[in-house]
Amino acid sequence: RPFIEFIHPDHRDRAMGIHIKRLKGEEVPPVYEFKVLDKKGNVKWLENNGILIEWCDKPATLNFLRDVTERKKAEQAIWASENEKRSILNAISDHILFHDTDLLIRWGNEAAARSIGMTQQELVGRYCYELWQGRSEPCERCPVIRAMETGSHTQGIMTTSDGKWWEIIGEPVLDRDGEIRGAIEIGRDITERKEAEQALQESEERFRAIFENALVGLYRTTPDGRILMANPALVQMMGYSSFEELAQLNMEEEGFSRDYQRSVFKQRVEAEDRIVGLESRWMRRDETTLFVRESARTVRDKDGEILYYEGTVVDLTERKLAEEALGESEEKFRSLAEQSPNMIFINKKGRIVYVNKKCEEVMGYEREKLCSPDFDFRSLVAPESLGLINDNFARHLRGEEVQPYDYSIINKDGKRIEAINASKLIQYEGETAILGVVTDITERKKSERALRESEERLKILFESAPDTIYLIDSEGRFMDGNRAALELVGFARDEAIGKNLAEMGMLSDKQLSKAIENLKKVATGNLSGPNEYRLKRKDGSYISVEVRTFPVKIGGETLTLGIARNITERKQAEKTLLDHRAQLKSLASQLSLTEERERHRLATELHDQISQSLVISKIKLDQLRKSNSSGDFKEALDEISKYLGQVIEETRTLTFDLSSPILYELGFEAAVAEWLTDQIQEKHRIETEFKDDGRQKPLDDDIRVLLFRNVRELLINVVKHAKAHKVKVSIRRIGEYISVCVEDDGIGFDPVEVASTAVKKAEFGLFSIQERLEQQGGQIEIESGPGRGTKITMTAPLKCKDISDGT
């Protein structure tokens, strides 16, 4: 059976191409890998080490195959391991950065990005001293610099521009040759620890005064729980008459605390070099329960050994009773809110958690819908008010006071409601929330807006102006227009004013979307234009207009001022010119394809008739030479045989120059790979690289021929003009299209300058490729610049039938 049947479909073209080249004696990789399917249909990887031999007087290949499936699995496992390591680094709370030798950040974990309020991608290419210290130069005692200078682990303490303390570790990163290629920075926020250390350095007298007079409990214990110090507040809190009585207790023994988390709390105090807090229950002398908030930390000697624990204790018993009273207060609040004529809501962490009955009535949604986790309250806000809402929301979160402000609401029925919102921060269910009281001021707003607009429009409109001038509001309604504007569209004033763009019916759906998008840009203060539209006049005729729009403030609202010009005649002339150009492009494309078909026909006849006849003649002549025992004609026959061989080779070369047989027999990818090796690498000594994603890319004959011809033309341009040392061709499938990329490391060029020069000299070259592709539904993308090489990517549609079949 043909060996190609066992090869995986993704690798058949490549394996067959190498096999054909090896039979021809061409240079191919001695060892390569490919996938096969075993008898059960399982995919395996084989390594092929093949050589060219002669078998029965014919060239053949001897192949040594080795199963490398397990190695491939190991490589995939390594990749998965690297991905897992990156996930672990992102999960670490310490910030981790990788610097290159210039101190530029090349990677940072999520903790580092969060600490500076940026994304991981935004960290890359920045300097740490710029982001954290606000400096323009590196820090004098930077551990990262010292790690790269000494090639060893370094550690230090740094402060940031916001006054925080960081413990920084620098670790050099070496390459395989032992050269330093950068450093790892590991940082931890130790601000609380430094503050605690500074507090401990206060004078004993000050400490004692605070200790004795503090309203909260203070203590110091040994690591095993024996009480060394306790202030009067703690003694009284526990119900004892003196410190000596309290000192008989052990804080770590059972009976002191009624909370199992006390042991976990101690472990955290020992493990974390900062103050740790815990709410728990203690037992008083009279065995009643004391609710406390305990905060503690360790005090260590210079060797890191724990000397003692220090802690504070806050009596929460009254707060617990207050929480019960708060529940009663909550019921009173709900009773008053439900009877309020205003809309009342509570927003906690960006989510509505309470609305009163008035909110349900006005907004048209049930309470359960408004308070559901997946409901976005911003959907109730008019687009122009979203920025204000977001800004005030952020100010609330920063603890700033927000004065009552006006904004617009859109209810379920699409009705616009003008409102004033008075909001403030409150505590709700133990967390900070925003309480809002909203009053409907729609009617008042309408009256104020109508008065302002009436006064200010008189200052803007110039009825006698010869230019077409009009005003449109943010919702696309025509507010006013001069005589020229009304004559342009053919509507009377009362037929146009107050109507929106959709109601006027002057624009198609696509043009209407474009106009609405333009209005949004103008509303944000961006100048727009000129834009072109095709308008339908009242009498049904169509005209083309060029429009320039500007934002204007009228009555506190941003409106759009438009100035239009009739360009119908100009557009008609442009269309005629474009039609002529399109016909010329189509004729040129058809001529190119006809030429390629004729070349293929000539090449086929040359190969099937002349080449075959010459090969048969040479075989007959060689047989005659072998059968001739006399030496009289040997020299003449040898010379004739030699000439026939040269003619056969020249005929074969001419056949390939006219039209590549491989393009029609093995496909586009194999033809490009062979031509790249034969013509570019071997003939012109330019290093080549060919990549194919291995996926099926069915092409119509015309597109296949066009792409192959374009690739050859691009590669010839590389040889002639690029002065390149290496060229790379990549072919892959992207959805319903084939993508072909030709990339070189040559001198490059300015695409705009080359296009301009080509037009002036009528030398289109590279840009004729673009026109031929566009005729077939494809496109070309050019990336180049002087001194940085060239990358040209062509895309073209795949065969429609195969796309619809899902192959």
Side-chain angles (χ1 to χ4, degrees):
R1 294 172 60 185
F3 185 69
I4 193 172
E5 294 181 3
F6 301 98
I7 301 176
H8 192 279
D10 291 346
H11 287 191
R12 285 178 182 172
D13 289 345
R14 179 170 177 268
M16 198 62 190
I18 293 176
H19 175 68
I20 291 173
K21 287 185 179 182
R22 183 170 284 153
L23 288 177
K24 294 177 181 178
E26 298 174 1
E27 183 179 351
V28 296
V31 179
Y32 66 96
E33 298 173 354
F34 62 98
K35 294 190 291 187
V36 298
L37 297 171
D38 64 13
K39 187 175 182 181
K40 296 181 179 180
N42 298 317
V43 176
K44 292 189 175 182
W45 282 86
L46 297 181
E47 181 181 82
N48 185 353
N49 186 351
I51 60 174
L52 180 64
I53 64 171
E54 186 170 333
W55 184 267
C56 297
D57 295 330
K58 293 183 179 180
T61 58
L62 177 60
N63 300 278
F64 301 87
L65 305 178
R66 182 160 67 95
D67 189 345
V68 293
T69 305
E70 295 302 319
R71 189 188 74 195
K72 281 291 184 179
K73 291 180 179 179
E75 291 173 353
Q76 295 173 354
I78 291 173
W79 178 89
S81 175
E82 290 298 324
N83 193 45
E84 181 181 2
K85 291 176 182 176
R86 185 176 294 272
S87 298
I88 292 174
L89 290 176
N90 278 325
I92 295 175
S93 59
D94 293 342
H95 87 233
I96 301 174
L97 301 171
F98 171 65
H99 302 269
D100 63 13
T101 53
D102 295 326
L103 282 185
L104 283 173
I105 298 172
R106 292 305 179 191
W107 183 85
N109 68 348
E110 292 181 358
R114 284 195 306 269
S115 71
I116 200 65
M118 302 176 71
T119 66
Q120 289 178 270
Q121 291 76 16
E122 291 172 336
L123 288 177
V124 176
R126 304 291 294 275
Y127 295 102
C128 61
Y129 55 80
E130 174 187 64
L131 298 177
W132 276 273
Q133 275 81 25
R135 299 167 59 99
S136 59
E137 297 291 337
C139 306
E140 295 179 358
R141 298 188 299 163
C142 176
V144 176
I145 295 178
R146 286 190 284 128
M148 289 192 284
E149 291 176 346
T150 62
S152 60
H153 172 94
T154 59
Q155 188 169 344
I157 304 296
M158 310 293 291
T159 58
T160 59
S161 58
D162 58 358
K164 290 189 176 182
W165 290 80
W166 288 81
E167 183 178 49
I168 305 297
I169 295 175
E171 193 71 38
V173 178
L174 308 178
D175 59 19
R176 294 183 177 178
D177 299 327
E179 296 293 329
I180 293 177
R181 59 184 289 261
I184 298 295
E185 175 185 339
I186 303 175
R188 174 175 293 180
D189 186 348
I190 59 168
T191 304
E192 293 185 1
R193 189 187 76 188
K194 295 297 292 185
E195 291 174 350
E197 291 173 353
Q198 292 172 358
L200 286 176
Q201 295 173 3
E202 297 291 338
S203 67
E204 180 64 25
E205 182 177 348
R206 248 173 98 185
F207 166 76
R208 177 58 60 182
I210 295 173
F211 186 82
E212 294 295 334
N213 297 286
L215 299 178
V216 298
L218 304 174
Y219 68 81
R220 179 180 292 175
T221 70
T222 63
D224 60 0
R226 289 184 296 107
I227 301 175
L228 299 177
M229 296 178 64
N231 70 339
L234 181 59
V235 173
Q236 182 181 2
M237 196 182 300
M238 292 296 292
Y240 290 88
S241 57
S242 66
F243 164 72
E244 288 72 21
E245 291 181 346
L246 182 63
Q248 302 301 316
L249 303 177
N250 188 306
M251 295 182 69
E252 304 304 328
E253 290 182 355
E254 187 176 354
F256 184 89
S257 174
R258 291 182 174 180
D259 200 321
Y260 72 92
Q261 295 185 19
R262 191 67 174 74
S263 60
V264 178
F265 173 66
K266 179 184 176 183
Q267 293 174 6
R268 288 182 58 202
V269 171
E270 294 178 353
E272 302 181 27
D273 191 15
R274 62 185 182 89
I275 297 175
V276 177
L278 173 73
E279 289 190 8
S280 60
R281 297 175 297 170
W282 289 4
M283 185 171 66
R284 287 193 180 99
R285 183 176 186 178
D286 59 4
E287 298 186 354
T288 58
T289 298
L290 174 69
F291 294 92
V292 299
R293 168 71 182 182
E294 180 182 6
S295 299
R297 65 164 187 167
T298 58
V299 178
R300 301 176 184 270
D301 60 19
K302 62 180 181 179
D303 298 324
E305 296 295 327
I306 298 176
L307 295 175
Y308 48 80
Y309 297 151
E310 283 186 344
T312 62
V313 181
V314 179
D315 187 351
L316 301 180
T317 306
E318 291 186 1
R319 193 195 77 183
K320 293 293 183 180
L321 297 175
E323 288 175 352
E324 295 179 0
L326 181 62
E328 297 178 0
S329 176
E330 175 73 13
E331 291 298 322
K332 293 178 182 179
F333 162 77
R334 290 182 181 273
S335 176
L336 292 173
E338 292 302 315
Q339 300 176 41
S340 173
N342 296 322
M343 293 179 281
I344 299 176
F345 68 88
I346 296 177
N347 184 325
K348 185 170 69 174
K349 295 181 179 180
R351 174 193 159 196
I352 300 296
V353 295
Y354 169 78
V355 294
N356 68 346
K357 185 178 180 181
K358 188 66 175 180
C359 280
E360 289 182 298
E361 295 173 356
V362 175
M363 301 313 302
Y365 291 94
E366 294 183 355
R367 190 171 312 198
E368 291 74 15
K369 176 66 175 178
L370 292 170
C371 296
S372 63
D374 58 349
F375 186 82
D376 185 3
F377 75 92
R378 291 178 177 84
S379 64
L380 304 175
V381 180
E384 67 272 18
S385 299
L386 276 176
L388 177 64
I389 291 293
N390 292 334
D391 179 63
N392 286 331
F393 187 82
R395 291 178 59 195
H396 272 306
L397 295 181
R398 293 194 297 268
E400 299 177 14
E401 182 178 357
V402 178
Q403 297 297 324
Y405 57 91
D406 296 357
Y407 70 115
S408 299
I409 305 172
I410 306 296
N411 70 5
K412 186 178 181 181
D413 298 328
K415 179 183 177 182
R416 175 180 289 268
I417 301 168
E418 302 296 337
I420 183 170
N421 184 4
S423 57
K424 64 177 296 183
L425 288 179
I426 64 169
Q427 289 296 313
Y428 183 77
E429 296 180 348
E431 294 182 285
T432 300
I434 299 172
L435 171 66
V437 179
V438 181
T439 304
D440 187 346
I441 57 172
T442 304
E443 294 303 320
R444 190 190 79 188
K445 280 287 186 179
K446 286 182 179 180
S447 299
E448 293 174 352
R449 188 182 300 117
L451 178 61
R452 287 195 303 268
E453 292 173 355
S454 176
E455 294 173 348
E456 293 179 327
R457 276 202 302 269
L458 294 175
K459 301 176 183 179
I460 297 175
L461 296 178
F462 301 94
E463 192 62 41
S464 61
D467 293 329
T468 298
I469 304 174
Y470 60 89
L471 275 175
I472 296 182
D473 68 7
S474 59
E475 296 182 2
R477 292 192 300 262
F478 282 92
M479 306 301 295
D480 214 331
N482 66 352
R483 177 179 50 80
L486 296 172
E487 290 176 354
L488 181 71
V489 296
F491 287 91
R493 180 177 297 274
D494 58 353
E495 293 175 327
I497 303 305
K499 302 288 182 63
N500 60 34
L501 292 171
E503 292 172 338
M504 296 285 288
M506 295 188 299
L507 298 173
S508 64
D509 291 342
K510 183 177 180 180
Q511 297 252 301
L512 182 61
S513 299
K514 177 182 175 182
I516 292 174
E517 185 65 26
N518 178 47
L519 289 176
K520 292 179 180 178
K521 291 180 180 178
V522 173
T524 61
N526 296 321
L527 297 181
S528 175
N531 289 299
E532 295 182 3
Y533 299 93
R534 188 166 183 262
L535 299 182
K536 182 180 179 181
R537 305 177 78 248
K538 181 182 178 181
D539 61 6
S541 61
Y542 286 90
I543 58 173
S544 296
V545 295
E546 184 181 78
V547 178
R548 294 180 182 272
T549 51
F550 310 89
V552 294
K553 284 282 189 179
I554 298 179
E557 180 181 0
T558 299
L559 301 180
T560 298
L561 172 66
I563 301 176
R565 181 162 59 96
N566 191 337
I567 59 170
T568 304
E569 293 182 359
R570 190 189 79 185
K571 295 298 290 184
Q572 289 174 346
E574 290 175 352
K575 182 178 183 303
T576 302
L577 180 60
L578 290 175
D579 290 341
H580 290 166
R581 288 182 179 176
Q583 292 175 7
L584 289 175
K585 289 181 181 180
S586 178
L587 289 174
S589 177
Q590 291 300 321
L591 179 61
S592 176
L593 293 174
T594 301
E595 177 189 346
E596 186 60 34
R597 295 189 189 103
E598 186 63 17
R599 291 165 67 94
H600 179 58
R601 186 187 66 79
L602 292 174
T604 302
E605 291 182 3
L606 190 61
H607 177 270
D608 293 346
Q609 297 179 20
I610 298 176
S611 294
Q612 297 296 337
S613 299
L614 289 172
V615 170
I616 293 173
S617 297
K618 189 174 185 304
I619 293 173
K620 295 290 186 180
L621 184 60
D622 289 340
Q623 291 175 351
L624 180 60
R625 289 169 53 205
K626 293 179 181 180
S627 64
N628 181 27
S629 59
S630 171
D632 296 339
F633 302 98
K634 184 177 185 303
E635 184 175 348
L637 291 175
D638 289 342
E639 188 173 359
I640 294 172
S641 178
K642 176 182 176 182
Y643 286 147
L644 276 175
Q646 292 177 355
V647 172
I648 291 171
E649 183 61 28
E650 291 172 356
T651 303
R652 177 181 177 275
T653 301
L654 180 58
T655 300
F656 273 78
D657 288 342
L658 283 172
S659 180
S660 172
I662 295 178
L663 178 65
Y664 295 89
E665 296 172 6
L666 298 180
F668 171 69
E669 296 90 335
V672 171
E674 183 191 60
W675 204 88
L676 182 67
T677 302
D678 288 351
Q679 298 297 318
I680 304 303
Q681 180 167 299
E682 296 184 3
K683 186 174 180 179
H684 297 284
R685 303 302 179 187
I686 296 177
E687 182 182 352
T688 65
E689 181 180 355
F690 177 77
K691 286 191 175 181
D692 179 29
D693 62 4
R695 299 177 63 190
Q696 293 184 1
K697 295 176 275 293
L699 298 169
D700 288 326
D701 289 343
D702 288 349
I703 291 181
R704 176 174 55 187
V705 169
L706 178 61
L707 286 177
F708 181 70
R709 183 174 179 179
N710 288 349
V711 170
R712 288 197 310 181
E713 188 170 343
L714 291 175
L715 292 175
I716 290 173
N717 283 344
V718 172
V719 173
K720 289 182 177 179
H721 309 295
K723 298 181 181 180
H725 301 287
K726 181 178 180 181
V727 62
K728 174 182 176 182
V729 178
S730 305
I731 303 175
R732 61 194 180 111
R733 177 171 179 168
I734 304 177
E736 299 177 358
Y737 289 84
I738 182 173
S739 172
V740 183
C741 177
V742 179
E743 185 175 4
D744 67 72
D745 61 353
I747 60 176
F749 63 91
D750 184 348
V752 177
E753 181 180 345
V754 171
S756 177
T757 304
V759 171
K760 292 178 181 178
K761 297 183 178 180
E763 297 173 353
F764 298 99
L766 178 64
F767 299 93
S768 67
I769 294 177
Q770 179 174 351
E771 293 185 353
R772 293 197 297 264
L773 270 175
E774 289 176 351
Q775 288 294 319
Q776 300 296 329
Q779 62 182 16
I780 186 171
E781 180 179 351
I782 304 173
E783 299 177 37
S784 186
R788 58 184 180 91
T790 301
K791 180 179 180 182
I792 299 178
T793 304
M794 299 180 292
T795 58
L798 297 172
K799 187 180 293 186
C800 295
K801 180 179 184 302
D802 293 87
I803 293 173
S804 63
D805 291 341
T807 58

